Amino acid sequence: MVAIPYLFNEIERIFRNTPLYAITLEAFLLLSVIWLLLHKRNGRKHFTKEEEEELIANYEPEPLVPHTDPNHPLLHVRLVQSKVGKRVVVNGYDCLNLASHNYLGLLEDEEILEDACKSLRKYGVGSCGPRGFYGTMDVHLDLEDRLAKFMRMEEAVVYSYGFSTVASAIPAYSKRGDIIFVDAAVNFAIQKGLDASRSTIYFYKHNDMADLERLLMQQEQKDRKNPNKAAKTRRFLVAEGIYMNTGQLCPLRELVKLRAKYKLRLFLDESISFGVLGKTGRGIAEHFDVDLIEVDLISAGMEWAMGSIGGFCVGSHFIVEHQRLSGVGYCFSASLPPMLAQAAISALNRFEKDPQIFAELQETSRLLHQIFSNFSKLTIGGHPLSPVKHLYLNVTWEQIDEEHKKLIEISDKCIARGIAVIEACYLYNIEKQPVRPSLRVTANRLLTLADINDAFEVIEDVTKELLN
C-alpha cells in the first residue's frame, strides 16, 4: 500500500519536469496507436465465393514485356560478317567502310595484332576483377605510365570502358550544390555524367562563347548577392575536343580565357580529337597550341583512333588519385582485359614511331570534306579536320521520326551498293538537347581519292533516287 502513493508522486514529478511539447507529442502518439488498434477497416469489400471465382476466371495479367512495334529499328540490326577494317561485310555486302571510328586504320595493323595475341597467351582473356580488387596487372600500370608520358601530364588512370570514363570522372568531382557550364551538343556519356553529379547544369549554345559568357555573368551577379554560398560553390566547364554530335572543334583558346576570367575548372573530353589533331596526335590542345596546365582534366576513349577498348583520364597527381577512390567506373568495373591494354600500348608505340600518320589522316579528312560538300540533296556538317562528318537532308522534315526513317532507307541502299554509311543513332526522348537526324560518316587514313569519289557517287545516286 505504501508503494501506491509513492508511484503517484513519481508520476507527478515526471509530468512536472517534462516540457509541455513532449507531453503533447507523447499523448498524440498514444491516442494514434489506440485509434489504429480500435479502428475497424471497413473499406475492403467482401466477396462471395462465386464472385471470387468469377474475378479469378476473368483476370488477365499485364504482359511482362510491353507491346513492341515490329518496325522498331532494334529488331532490324545490320549484321557485320567480317573483320572490321577499311572494308567490311555488312548483311552479306562487301562495303567500303565509312561507318567505323577506325580513323588511323590501326585495326589492320599486324604488329599491334601480334602484340595483343602475345599478351593473350601470357595473361589470358580477362582480369576477372576491378582494379582495386586483384584486377590490376603490370600491363595496366605500364599503359597508365605511357599515357601520362605521352600526354606530358603527371599521371593517368585507365578505365575499362570508354563511355564510363567521362561519365565517372564528372561526378567524381562535381557534387550537389556545384555548378557545371556545358556545351549543348555534348555526347551522351557526358550527359550521363552530368545526371550522376546532381549538380546545377547550365547549357550554353553550341560553340557560342557569347552565350557562355552571358551565363557566367549571370552567375557572377548571383554570387555577389550571396557571397557565403558562392565561396563554397565549385564551378566547372565541360566541353569536347571534337563533338561527336556535330563534328565541330571546340574553341579551346576562348574557353581557356573564360576559365581564367571566371575561375572555372575545365574538363575536356578528347575521345575523338586524341590521336587525330596536332602534329603528334596529342589532341586539340596541341592543335591550338594551348598549354595543358590550362586544362584541369582530359579524358579520352581508346576505342576510336587507338583501335582498342576503354578510356583514360590524365591530369595532376591529385586529380588522378581522387578518381581511384571516387570514379565509379574505375572502382566497380572489371579492369581492362590485358590484351586490349597491350594493344593500346602498341598503338602509342605507333604514334611515337610514325607521327606522319596524323598528317595523313588530317589530309584525308580535308579531302573527304571537300568532295562531300558537293552533294545535291545533302549538306555536310563538321570541321574539315574532323574525321567525323554529318550529312543532313537539305530540307528539314517536320517529324523527326520520318526524317530518321528516310535516312535509314538511304543507309540500307548505300550498303547494298557497297558503301557502308549509317544513320546517327540517338535516344531522342532522353537527350538533354534536340539533335537533328543525320548520316554519320567517318574518315579513315587508308582511304584513297578513288575510294572517296566512289563513295560520293553512290551516295549521290541513292539520295537522288530516294529524295526526288
Side-chain angles (χ1 to χ4, degrees), residues 309-327:
I309 296 292
F312 66 90
C313 291
V314 291
S316 65
H317 171 77
F318 168 77
I319 287 287
V320 169
E321 286 302 304
H322 181 70
Q323 289 187 61
R324 298 191 192 278
L325 298 174
S326 301

Side-chain angles (χ1 to χ4, degrees), residues 67-239:
H67 173 73
T68 303
D69 182 359
N71 295 320
H72 195 285
L74 291 180
L75 298 178
H76 304 278
V77 297
R78 300 181 180 96
L79 183 63
V80 176
Q81 299 162 299
S82 70
K83 179 180 175 181
V84 177
K86 177 183 173 181
R87 302 198 68 84
V88 63
V89 177
V90 183
N91 291 344
Y93 300 103
D94 180 41
C95 301
L96 179 68
N97 189 358
L98 297 182
S100 298
H101 296 266
N102 179 30
Y103 311 137
L104 295 173
L106 298 186
L107 286 177
E108 299 169 271
D109 189 288
E110 293 298 328
E111 185 176 343
I112 294 177
L113 289 173
E114 182 57 32
D115 289 345
C117 288
K118 290 178 181 177
S119 180
L120 175 63
R121 288 188 281 268
K122 178 180 179 181
Y123 297 102
V125 175
S127 57
C128 300
R131 288 291 302 273
F133 298 93
Y134 310 105
T136 296
M137 299 183 177
D138 54 358
V139 69
H140 295 125
L141 301 178
D142 291 343
L143 175 57
E144 289 175 344
D145 183 60
R146 288 293 305 280
L147 285 167
K149 289 178 179 177
F150 181 78
M151 292 298 291
R152 297 165 183 166
M153 303 290 271
E154 288 183 15
E155 287 190 30
V157 58
V158 169
Y159 287 77
S160 54
Y161 186 38
F163 186 99
S164 65
T165 303
V166 69
S168 298
I170 292 173
Y173 302 99
S174 184
K175 307 294 183 182
R176 188 189 300 274
D178 294 333
I179 298 173
I180 304 178
F181 299 93
V182 59
D183 192 290
V186 291
N187 61 55
F188 196 65
I190 292 178
Q191 293 177 37
K192 291 296 99 181
L194 299 176
D195 289 342
S197 73
R198 300 175 297 173
S199 303
T200 301
I201 311 299
Y202 294 109
F203 288 98
Y204 61 89
K205 296 176 184 178
H206 181 42
N207 275 351
D208 189 334
M209 295 299 98
D211 191 51
L212 171 58
E213 186 156 24
R214 175 185 64 82
L215 293 173
L216 292 169
M217 291 173 64
Q218 288 179 357
Q219 184 59 43
E220 193 174 50
Q221 293 173 359
K222 294 178 184 177
D223 293 343
R224 291 197 190 102
K225 295 178 182 178
N226 194 346
N228 292 332
K229 181 180 178 182
K232 301 175 184 177
T233 302
R234 295 174 297 181
R235 297 160 191 80
F236 298 86
L237 177 58
V238 178

Side-chain angles (χ1 to χ4, degrees), residues 33-45:
V33 171
I34 294 172
W35 182 84
L36 289 172
L37 292 174
L38 299 179
H39 178 67
K40 294 182 178 180
R41 297 175 177 84
N42 296 322
R44 179 181 176 186
K45 182 179 179 181

Side-chain angles (χ1 to χ4, degrees), residues 20 67 86 114 185 274 315 348 415 459:
L20 180 61
H67 173 73
K86 177 183 173 181
E114 182 57 32
F274 176 74
L348 287 174
I415 290 172
I459 298 172

Side-chain angles (χ1 to χ4, degrees), residues 348-362:
L348 287 174
N349 292 338
R350 182 70 186 276
F351 284 10
E352 294 172 344
K353 183 174 66 175
D354 300 319
Q356 73 276 4
I357 60 177
F358 307 113
E360 292 171 2
L361 171 61
Q362 292 163 17

